[in-house]
Amino acid sequence: MDLFSSSTQQDHQPLAYRMRPRHLDEYMGQDHIIGTGRLLRRAIQADQLSSVIFYGPPGTGKTTLARVIANTTKSHFSTLNAVLSGVKQLREEIEEAKNRLDYYHKKTILFIDEVHRWNKSQQDALLPWVENGTVVLIGATTENPYFEVNAALVSRSRIFQLTRLTESDLADIAQQTLKDTERGYGSYEISFSDGALEHIIDIANGDARSLLNALELAVETTPSAFPPPEGEKILISREIAEESIQKKVVLYDKEGDYHFDVISAFIKSVRGSDPDAVLYWMAKMIKAGEDPKYIFRRMLISASEDIGLADPQALGVVTAAADAYDRVGMPEGRFHLTQAALYLATAPKSNSALGFFSALKHLELESSEDVPNHLKDSSRDKEGFGHGKGYQYPHAYKDHWVAQQYLPNGIQGSVFYDPSEQGYEHTIRELVQQRREAQLDAAVKEPFPEILTFSPPDTQRDHWLQRLITSRGDTFASIRGRLFSPLKLVRHDRVLIFELGRGMLTWEACRQTPEGGVTAVTTEKRLSEELEEYAKGLIPVDRPEIIQLPSLKDFRASSVKGSFEAVIGQNIFTKIEDQKKMADQLFTIAKHLSLCEIIPSRCQRLSELCDDPERKMLLEEAELTIYGVKDSPLMRITEKFLTDLLEKTGFEQMRSETIKLFEKRLITEADITKWCENTYAPVVPFEKLDILEQTRQSLVKSYADKVIDWRISLCFITAEKRIDKKN
């Protein structure tokens, strides 16, 4: 069976069928999943599609997108309609797919329209062949796949939700139809009265099929005969447009997914104390024929779940209104529905009744893994076996927390708790994730192994390394969190990373945008090779695009594809001289910016490490010259300079904050020598160079090969592109 077979009688096919896009460039709308650089578009173009399920209302392009894939892929493309076929037809398709794979090494893509129409046993018959790769599944459904499709199939597929088309999308489709001479009405002179086409677009309500059906009816019934005589114009008046498409259809199925969505919206509006929204959703249900008793049952639940003892009267009001409705009936009973709904919406809220369910939860994790040595009880055999060595007492650290390993080595990195984004958990979600990542960064394999033979141990070096790793992990995790948290990225976003550090920004972006796309720009060959190597652990379409440049000044907006929802970077402007040019480049591609820039003039100074008054004064005088060069691209960077630069470029909604951080830094003799000879010596008077050398020797003696608290000053800036500015 082939739903996409071409017909020689194209003129007799409905317009909506004729105008279906044949390739990606003709596809309108759904930019969040099929736009430039998105995962699905990359997979289609590379012919590396994995199993997917398209979910969305009618007329949003699910079957059309499958047709585009059929026209693009080199794999064999088969189709089934779940309404018209069953297990017998499926087995035939599977057998043919196996033969193609065995004899011709050709993959098969199997498109199943209305896949939710199959029952559980029919869906189960498909599962093993999807799992072993005999077929790549494309499912299309108007129902929520998490409820209507087997969990096993869902877990093996990417889910892409298609939304109703925007008015702009529908206008583009209409114009495409009116200009297309092969499939549409490009051969005729068609015009519209004021508001006629806009009316059709509005009433189509995001449904491309409704739009095209209305256009077909309006165009082909306006002249006395269609097609009209050559040279005759077709004028679509407002009256004809109104006759061609009637009132909007209320999408509501009392047994379907949308039914649950509307009642959910109603209850959530009650919970959110929005009486206007409560009346809107209740009117929608009543108009569509919902049973009022069902609405009353849900309000009775809400009276205890969402209001409870905050207003003990609520349960009595709803009960009385439900009894009154039973006596009166419809249509007057709508007053009782309204009274009960408004009372709940305006009542004070408390969900303390949920404490009962919390009391029922009790989770106990057992593992055969041994307790990490540094977590073992040290009160009995610390000296003999080293139990407890390496444990860091959290109360001795800032905020009573320090990153260290708590899980056994064999399950380090496992995630058992995933905080939601609701309520209190939303406030701790970011903190939990940051600390989890910092602890992974701090953990090393068997940091303090159990001592199986005894001799007086010397673990000082190990302790220093552990503290150093932990501190650096804390600092970097804090910076990374501040860069990502304001953006609120969604899964299909495209992100550009200026990766000038350790590569951790790239992987965080990949984690947050699995169906989007990540491009990483770096200037270090070593880091580029490292990113490429780590990326090999992902399938090709999931890998970030790595761009290595000779230097940051060589970055051009044209070197990356399309625009990005977010551009994230650290120390972009401190590494280049033409900072205005970089800002202009960012403006052409970024909708949102999240940047972290070091403020060199406010960071740690060498004079602060010097105790001798004469030597300290020498360094301070030199620093007045070093940090006083305002025309220097490095020294002119301040919070005000950066915000002014971005604002003049065309960014707005800027938020900036400069913070002071201390990180543990190991100072070597080579570091001190480099600072003195390369930075300070050029500005110190010749007759005082001997004092500078004495200062260098003193600093080497005091600080070489030691870890100190090194102050850094960082400016965090977020900004949005001003939408009225033209690129």
Side-chain angles (χ1 to χ4, degrees):
M1 184 184 299
D2 187 358
L3 295 181
F4 305 137
S5 59
S6 60
S7 172
T8 58
Q9 304 296 326
Q10 179 169 295
D11 291 341
H12 299 290
Q13 295 172 339
L15 178 66
Y17 184 89
R18 300 199 307 270
M19 289 305 301
R20 274 182 171 168
R22 295 160 295 188
H23 48 77
L24 284 173
D25 292 337
E26 291 182 348
Y27 193 89
M28 301 288 183
Q30 313 303 340
D31 183 69
H32 63 287
I33 63 172
I34 206 69
T36 301
R38 311 278 185 203
L39 172 73
L40 184 58
R41 191 183 191 93
R42 300 198 309 271
I44 294 172
Q45 291 174 331
D47 201 8
Q48 294 181 347
L49 194 71
S50 58
S51 292
V52 296
I53 295 176
F54 298 142
Y55 159 53
T60 51
K62 300 182 295 298
T63 304
T64 297
L65 189 51
R67 178 180 181 174
V68 168
I69 295 171
N71 293 337
T72 305
T73 184
K74 295 179 181 178
S75 302
H76 180 83
F77 199 97
S78 297
T79 65
L80 289 175
N81 188 304
V83 177
L84 305 174
S85 60
V87 174
K88 179 177 181 293
Q89 290 83 357
L90 174 61
R91 287 173 178 167
E92 293 173 355
E93 291 289 351
I94 294 298
E95 190 62 33
E96 293 178 7
K98 289 166 61 179
N99 291 336
R100 289 187 205 100
L101 196 61
D102 292 342
Y103 299 127
Y104 307 106
H105 304 289
K106 191 170 187 177
K107 295 190 301 182
T108 297
I109 296 178
L110 178 60
F111 173 63
I112 302 179
D113 203 8
E114 304 290 339
V115 65
H116 64 277
R117 299 283 188 173
W118 274 356
N119 59 35
K120 184 179 184 302
S121 62
Q122 290 171 313
Q123 293 182 29
D124 284 342
L126 177 62
L127 178 61
W129 311 112
V130 172
E131 192 168 32
N132 66 18
T134 300
V135 297
V136 174
L137 170 68
I138 300 180
T141 176
T142 57
E143 302 296 332
N144 191 325
Y146 291 100
F147 294 117
E148 301 298 334
V149 179
N150 282 6
L153 275 180
V154 169
S155 68
R156 289 160 176 79
S157 307
R158 290 187 185 272
I159 309 296
F160 291 98
Q161 184 172 358
L162 284 72
T163 59
R164 290 194 168 278
L165 300 177
T166 65
E167 290 190 357
S168 176
D169 294 331
L170 294 179
D172 289 341
I173 293 172
Q175 292 303 322
Q176 182 187 59
T177 303
L178 295 171
K179 293 177 181 178
D180 192 312
T181 58
E182 179 185 352
R183 301 174 298 157
Y185 297 127
S187 301
Y188 312 107
E189 293 187 60
I190 301 174
S191 59
F192 291 82
S193 299
D194 289 344
L197 182 57
E198 290 78 6
H199 175 78
I200 293 176
I201 290 172
D202 177 53
I203 302 301
N205 198 25
D207 188 326
R209 188 181 297 110
S210 294
L211 170 80
L212 293 172
N213 288 341
L215 276 178
E216 182 176 29
L217 185 61
V219 170
E220 299 192 13
T221 61
T222 296
S224 56
F226 189 86
E230 185 176 350
E232 182 176 327
K233 298 181 180 180
I234 301 176
L235 174 64
I236 309 298
S237 65
R238 176 64 182 253
E239 292 73 18
I240 293 174
E242 291 175 349
E243 291 175 357
S244 300
I245 186 167
Q246 302 296 317
K247 63 181 180 179
K248 296 180 181 179
V249 176
V250 177
L251 178 59
Y252 196 87
D253 177 359
K254 289 192 285 184
E255 299 299 327
D257 187 56
Y258 199 69
H259 154 77
F260 294 104
D261 286 343
V262 174
I263 191 64
S264 174
F266 171 72
I267 292 300
K268 287 173 181 173
S269 300
V270 169
R271 188 178 297 137
S273 300
D274 188 332
D276 299 311
V278 165
L279 293 181
Y280 172 81
W281 294 116
M282 189 169 70
K284 193 177 188 75
M285 288 187 287
I286 295 300
K287 181 177 177 60
E290 183 61 82
D291 183 358
K293 293 184 178 180
Y294 173 73
I295 301 175
F296 271 122
R297 286 198 297 271
R298 294 304 301 262
M299 286 196 289
L300 283 167
I301 296 170
S302 180
S304 292
E305 178 184 354
D306 299 312
I307 297 168
L309 294 180
D311 185 352
Q313 301 283 349
L315 184 60
V317 169
V318 178
T319 300
D323 289 342
Y325 173 83
D326 285 339
R327 295 185 182 185
V328 174
M330 293 292 273
E332 290 83 356
R334 289 179 292 187
F335 291 114
H336 308 301
L337 276 166
T338 302
Q339 180 179 348
L342 289 176
Y343 190 96
L344 296 183
T346 55
K349 304 299 188 293
S350 170
N351 66 344
S352 59
L354 294 179
F356 168 75
F357 299 99
S358 298
L360 293 177
K361 295 181 180 178
H362 182 68
L363 180 63
E364 194 172 309
L365 178 64
E366 295 182 358
S367 174
S368 59
E369 294 283 345
D370 196 10
V371 176
N373 196 56
H374 66 286
L375 299 182
K376 289 183 177 179
D377 180 15
S378 62
S379 62
R380 297 162 297 164
D381 47 27
K382 178 178 180 180
E383 295 300 323
F385 295 109
H387 289 174
K389 281 190 175 291
Y391 173 65
Q392 298 175 79
Y393 188 56
H395 296 298
Y397 293 82
K398 182 181 178 181
D399 297 327
H400 299 262
W401 182 84
V402 63
Q404 65 180 326
Q405 177 179 335
Y406 290 103
L407 283 170
N409 291 335
I411 59 172
Q412 183 67 20
S414 298
V415 176
F416 301 112
Y417 172 55
D418 183 20
S420 73
E421 295 185 356
Q422 307 301 322
Y424 168 70
E425 281 192 317
H426 175 69
T427 66
I428 65 169
R429 180 180 176 86
E430 182 178 349
L431 178 63
V432 169
Q433 291 176 340
Q434 287 178 350
R435 288 185 170 179
R436 181 175 284 149
E437 292 166 357
Q439 289 181 167
L440 283 174
D441 191 44
V444 294
K445 292 183 178 179
E446 300 180 353
F448 296 96
E450 185 171 8
I451 302 170
L452 300 181
T453 60
F454 177 76
S455 61
D458 182 8
T459 59
Q460 182 177 1
R461 178 175 175 274
D462 290 336
H463 277 288
W464 275 115
L465 288 175
Q466 179 71 7
R467 293 284 177 91
L468 190 60
I469 293 172
T470 300
S471 177
R472 286 179 178 175
D474 289 347
T475 302
F476 188 82
S478 175
I479 293 173
R480 183 177 56 204
R482 282 176 173 267
L483 285 170
F484 277 91
S485 61
L487 294 173
K488 308 301 181 187
L489 296 174
V490 295
R491 295 173 63 90
H492 57 260
D493 279 346
R494 293 191 71 212
V495 181
L496 176 66
I497 301 291
F498 283 92
E499 191 61 88
L500 309 177
R502 298 188 299 174
M504 299 300 289
L505 295 178
T506 299
W507 306 123
E508 175 65 13
C510 289
R511 183 175 72 86
Q512 293 195 25
T513 60
E515 283 81 54
V518 176
T519 298
V521 175
T522 180
T523 58
E524 298 181 29
K525 182 178 180 181
R526 176 198 58 79
L527 180 56
S528 176
E529 292 173 347
E530 184 178 288
L531 290 170
E532 295 280 6
E533 185 63 29
Y534 279 120
K536 291 179 181 178
L538 303 172
I539 62 175
V541 294
D542 285 343
R543 295 171 187 170
E545 179 186 10
I546 312 299
I547 299 176
Q548 183 188 342
L549 300 175
S551 66
L552 207 55
K553 68 180 181 181
D554 297 303
F555 175 77
R556 300 290 184 275
S558 58
S559 63
V560 296
K561 300 174 184 176
S563 61
F564 297 83
E565 276 74 24
V567 171
I568 303 172
Q570 188 175 359
N571 298 331
I572 298 175
F573 293 107
T574 56
K575 294 184 179 292
I576 56 173
E577 293 186 6
D578 194 343
Q579 291 145 342
K580 175 65 169 61
K581 183 177 179 180
M582 173 58 77
D584 289 337
Q585 295 292 320
L586 295 180
F587 183 80
T588 63
I589 57 174
K591 294 182 180 178
H592 297 83
L593 286 181
S594 183
L595 305 176
C596 172
E597 296 290 328
I598 194 167
I599 309 296
S601 60
R602 297 178 61 180
C603 291
Q604 182 82 37
R605 299 189 180 186
L606 201 58
S607 63
E608 298 172 25
L609 303 180
C610 192
D611 295 328
D612 182 84
E614 182 183 10
R615 297 168 183 169
K616 186 179 184 71
M617 182 178 297
L618 175 69
L619 296 181
E620 288 176 340
E621 290 175 350
E623 288 164 353
L624 287 176
T625 302
I626 295 169
Y627 295 106
V629 184
K630 299 301 182 184
D631 293 334
S632 164
L634 197 63
M635 292 304 147
R636 69 184 174 209
I637 290 184
T638 62
E639 182 175 334
K640 185 177 187 307
F641 169 81
L642 293 170
T643 54
D644 288 348
L645 173 64
L646 294 175
E647 185 175 12
K648 291 176 182 177
T649 305
F651 288 98
E652 61 180 2
Q653 301 294 324
M654 274 177 290
R655 297 181 181 178
S656 60
E657 179 185 14
T658 299
I659 65 170
K660 181 171 63 177
L661 291 177
F662 289 90
E663 66 174 4
K664 298 292 185 182
R665 177 173 292 189
L666 176 65
I667 306 298
T668 66
E669 182 176 352
D671 291 331
I672 297 172
T673 300
K674 181 181 68 174
W675 295 331
C676 290
E677 294 181 355
N678 296 348
T679 305
Y680 285 79
V683 298
V684 168
F686 178 80
E687 63 273 13
K688 294 185 178 181
L689 287 177
D690 59 333
I691 302 178
L692 179 63
E693 173 58 22
Q694 295 172 14
T695 303
R696 185 193 71 80
Q697 294 176 5
S698 174
L699 292 172
V700 167
K701 183 177 180 181
S702 300
Y703 295 104
D705 298 324
K706 293 184 179 180
V707 175
I708 68 170
D709 289 326
W710 190 267
R711 187 183 75 250
I712 56 176
S713 182
L714 299 175
C715 177
F716 291 89
I717 297 179
T718 60
E720 299 178 13
K721 177 184 284 190
R722 190 158 55 235
I723 59 176
D724 60 349
K725 175 142 182 174
K726 304 297 183 183
N727 293 341

